[in-house]
Amino acid sequence: MKAAFMTLGCKVNQFETETMEGLFRARGYEVVPFEERADVYVVNTCSVTHLSDRKSRQLIRRAARTNPAACIAVTGCYAQVAPEEIRALEGVRVVLGTKERARIVDYVEDALRADTGAVGTITDIMQACVFEDIPLHALPHRTRAFLKIEDGCQNFCTFCIIPYARGPVKSRALSAVAREMRLLVGAGFPEVVLTGIHLGAYGIDLPAHPTLADACRTALAESGLRRLRLGSLESVELSADLLELMRTEPRFAAHLHLPLQAGSDAVLRAMNRPYTTEQFAQLVADVRAAVPGVAISTDIIVGFPGETEEDFAAGMDFVRRMGFARMHVFPYSARRGTPAARRTDQVPPPVRRERAARMQALAEEMAEAYHRSMLGAVVEVLFETCADGVTDGLTETYVRVYTDAPVVHGAIVPVRLTHLYRDGVWGEMV
């Protein structure tokens, strides 16, 4: 039997797909590319925007066309919040939300044995309070390994569907973090990225209340680890303990992704974000003072309901002052069931797109300025992929570096940065 997988969305989803691949491999399935004919297709969906939902439906239909007799299993956030939409699609035989994925192979095999419509379980995710700890049965087929240590979110930003798809905060026990780190480092992964939906809240639900800094120390206890990186986390949840660990531990990548979401106080209040622009700016200044050379990247949403041209201009000015190393720009996407979607002052889509284009141009300008600031420096690069004789990889500050020098895939080597190239920098071996 052959199984194929497709992932949409965040690094947490990527990790969860890898665990499901391992479950299928452990039961004797051969994992093949999604484009090939397979007996089972697993689509791990995202629902952060309406485009994510549409891409999920397109992928499900593509699988049904590739093999009309296949069992299509759909899981993830879109399946959690809109299971009936998923069940109505041709070929879907299994629907799981953001829990019960440890049993996905059982559900698939039940569906293959019986022709009774879509099977699966959509639990009340708001009542889920224990981390679903699925050990890695097979190792990720990538250079950098993701390790999910937290699930769920308690922020309830007015634009976001994710708390309703993932439920409350659920943290992985430190003993389980240590177990998976031993496996990943023992398999030779030079970099591990700790991920979560609300990563900064790690440990608040566990009996001893360990912190994200404790989880990082647990990961760094593996002496063979070359580099540890954090996924996205809220700026207000950065502790002095965590920053001190990042400053003093050379294997801890000096890179933080701190979602801003809006550079206007009026919009931040409407979004239910827990800070003002002044507080965010102070937090960023504190981070840069505590960890010299740290790279800070961010997310920003434009065209939120009620956002005026003045709000947008204030956001552009604030972002420019922050000088982010990297910025992901998203036009606002209304998500059914969220407070923002019910507002009557929606910004017209053409205005959202135009503002997104302007903000994206600024993002590219800031990224180029950051890349220029690094020219001449010698940095360590983890090389990952090679195409047409050019190999590329990432610095600890998440800058993409390219070279035509012979390097070993998966090696971390010192490189001198010489000039801008594509979306990053060209490097020469030293």
Side-chain angles (χ1 to χ4, degrees):
M1 296 284 283
K2 296 180 179 180
F5 296 79
M6 181 59 72
T7 309
L8 293 99
C10 63
K11 290 179 173 62
V12 171
N13 267 17
Q14 293 177 42
F15 173 83
E16 290 168 346
T17 296
E18 288 166 355
T19 64
M20 289 187 285
E21 284 189 24
L23 293 172
F24 276 89
R25 290 182 192 274
R27 296 279 278 270
Y29 286 75
E30 177 189 355
V31 174
V32 299
F34 194 80
E35 296 74 23
E36 292 188 12
R37 187 177 179 88
D39 304 287
V40 179
Y41 292 93
V42 178
V43 181
N44 192 6
T45 62
C46 172
S47 196
V48 73
T49 68
H50 72 278
L51 290 176
S52 305
D53 293 350
R54 188 171 71 186
K55 288 179 182 177
S56 297
R57 293 191 296 270
Q58 290 171 341
L59 288 165
I60 293 165
R61 294 186 180 109
R62 184 195 304 175
R65 288 194 300 269
T66 304
N67 183 6
C71 173
I72 301 175
V74 185
T75 184
C77 291
Y78 183 28
Q80 179 70 44
V81 299
E84 296 308 317
E85 289 182 21
I86 300 295
R87 290 189 180 102
L89 297 175
E90 183 179 355
V92 174
R93 304 279 296 282
V94 175
V95 181
L96 295 173
T98 53
K99 272 186 67 65
E100 298 289 329
R101 282 177 286 194
R103 299 180 56 207
I104 188 170
V105 183
D106 293 332
Y107 281 119
V108 164
E109 293 185 345
D110 287 347
L112 289 169
R113 283 192 292 267
D115 188 14
T116 55
V119 302
T121 300
I122 303 295
T123 60
D124 182 356
I125 200 65
M126 304 310 290
Q127 301 302 314
C129 57
V130 178
F131 186 90
E132 188 174 29
D133 192 342
I134 307 173
L136 284 168
H137 290 268
L139 293 169
H141 40 76
R142 64 176 76 246
T143 304
R144 298 181 301 132
F146 300 135
L147 178 58
K148 176 184 164 187
I149 66 170
E150 184 276 337
D151 203 350
C153 183
Q154 62 184 23
N155 276 351
F156 290 95
C157 300
T158 58
F159 57 84
C160 188
I161 195 67
I162 299 306
Y164 307 96
R166 292 282 181 167
V169 169
K170 299 167 284 291
S171 305
R172 196 170 205 163
L174 289 177
S175 58
V177 174
R179 179 196 70 212
E180 300 297 273
M181 284 298 303
R182 282 194 296 272
L183 177 65
L184 293 170
V185 174
F189 285 94
E191 179 177 316
V192 175
V193 185
L194 300 184
T195 68
I197 299 298
H198 188 171
L199 188 59
Y202 173 84
I204 63 171
D205 58 312
L206 294 177
H209 302 301
T211 65
L212 179 58
D214 293 324
C216 292
R217 274 189 281 268
T218 299
L220 289 162
E222 289 297 318
S223 59
L225 179 66
R226 296 285 305 278
R227 183 187 288 170
L228 179 72
R229 190 183 300 278
L230 291 179
S232 175
L233 71 158
E234 296 294 344
S235 57
V236 293
E237 292 165 347
L238 283 170
S239 68
D241 191 19
L242 183 67
L243 292 176
E244 179 65 10
L245 184 61
M246 182 175 284
R247 185 184 70 82
T248 57
E249 171 53 74
R251 295 176 298 156
F252 201 150
H255 168 236
L256 289 169
H257 187 79
L258 308 176
L260 170 62
Q261 306 301 13
S264 154
D265 286 336
V267 177
L268 287 173
R269 284 193 299 272
M271 288 178 165
N272 193 35
R273 298 293 289 171
Y275 49 79
T276 64
T277 52
E278 182 181 355
Q279 289 170 326
F280 188 93
Q282 186 60 56
L283 286 163
V284 167
D286 291 345
V287 170
R288 287 172 170 157
V291 187
V294 66
I296 299 177
S297 54
T298 198
D299 297 332
I300 195 154
I301 297 170
V302 298
F304 185 81
E307 181 188 73
T308 65
E309 184 60 34
E310 291 74 20
D311 292 329
F312 176 73
M316 289 278 284
D317 289 342
F318 183 76
V319 163
R320 186 177 285 107
R321 284 195 287 120
M322 289 298 96
F324 295 111
R326 183 183 177 93
M327 185 165 72
H328 302 294
V329 179
F330 304 92
Y332 168 74
S333 177
R335 310 309 297 132
R336 185 176 60 221
T338 61
R342 296 192 291 269
R343 291 183 54 154
T344 58
D345 53 353
Q346 302 289 324
V347 175
V351 177
R352 293 183 222 167
R353 290 193 293 270
E354 187 270 339
R355 290 178 184 172
R358 287 157 63 190
M359 188 66 79
Q360 181 60 38
L362 177 56
E364 292 169 6
E365 176 188 319
M366 289 192 300
E368 180 177 323
Y370 181 70
H371 293 161
R372 285 190 185 281
S373 74
M374 298 185 67
L375 297 182
V378 175
V379 296
E380 290 198 329
V381 180
L382 169 57
F383 284 102
E384 300 181 289
T385 60
C386 183
D388 300 323
V390 175
T391 305
D392 66 274
L394 290 171
T395 68
E396 69 163 320
T397 56
Y398 215 78
V399 172
R400 181 69 57 182
V401 175
Y402 299 85
T403 187
D404 57 3
V407 292
V408 177
H409 182 83
I412 296 180
V413 295
V415 175
R416 187 181 304 281
L417 306 181
T418 60
H419 59 272
L420 301 183
Y421 183 78
R422 295 182 184 171
D423 59 339
V425 183
W426 187 265
E428 303 288 351
M429 297 297 108
V430 294

